[in-house]
Amino acid sequence: MIVAFSVSPSGGDPDGGVSEAVARAVKVVRESGLPNSTNAMFTNIEGEWDEVMDVVKRAVAAAGEGSARVGLVLKADIRPGFTDQLEAKVERVEAHLRES
């Protein structure tokens, strides 16, 4: 499965920034050893259901350190039997673009 998630703690930076909290979450993801990528809006992580959800849970906890509330947006692509899809899905789109 691939999960795209975004965490946003409340009550942190007076300017509304969450980069420090997001960095804590991304560190948890990267240290998990699972395939992952981070962009401006989401962190993507790929693996089996239980291992991915464990990492998301720990990432939310890390992002929420010092905050009374954390918002979580999560989208999952559950496709049994498929692996290495973080890059393969993008490559399939790129292939279509090259053909057009």
Side-chain angles (χ1 to χ4, degrees):
M1 82 183 302
I2 296 174
V3 165
F5 75 100
S6 174
V7 293
S8 185
S10 299
D13 188 311
D15 294 328
V18 294
S19 61
E20 186 177 336
V22 170
R24 291 192 302 267
V26 170
K27 182 177 181 188
V28 169
V29 172
R30 290 184 179 172
E31 289 177 349
S32 76
L34 295 175
N36 66 84
S37 64
T38 299
N39 59 51
M41 298 291 293
F42 287 93
T43 294
N44 303 302
I45 184 169
E46 184 174 10
E48 296 299 319
W49 181 278
D50 289 339
E51 63 188 355
V52 168
M53 295 313 248
D54 175 64
V55 172
V56 170
K57 182 178 180 180
R58 291 186 291 115
V60 169
E65 290 173 10
S67 296
R69 179 184 234 168
V70 178
L72 169 66
V73 175
L74 186 141
K75 180 177 181 179
D77 180 4
I78 303 161
R79 196 171 181 196
F82 286 79
T83 59
D84 302 318
Q85 293 302 295
L86 276 178
E87 294 179 18
K89 288 176 75 165
V90 174
E91 181 51 40
R92 287 192 295 273
V93 171
E94 293 294 338
H96 286 290
L97 290 169
R98 286 189 297 274
E99 294 170 5
S100 58

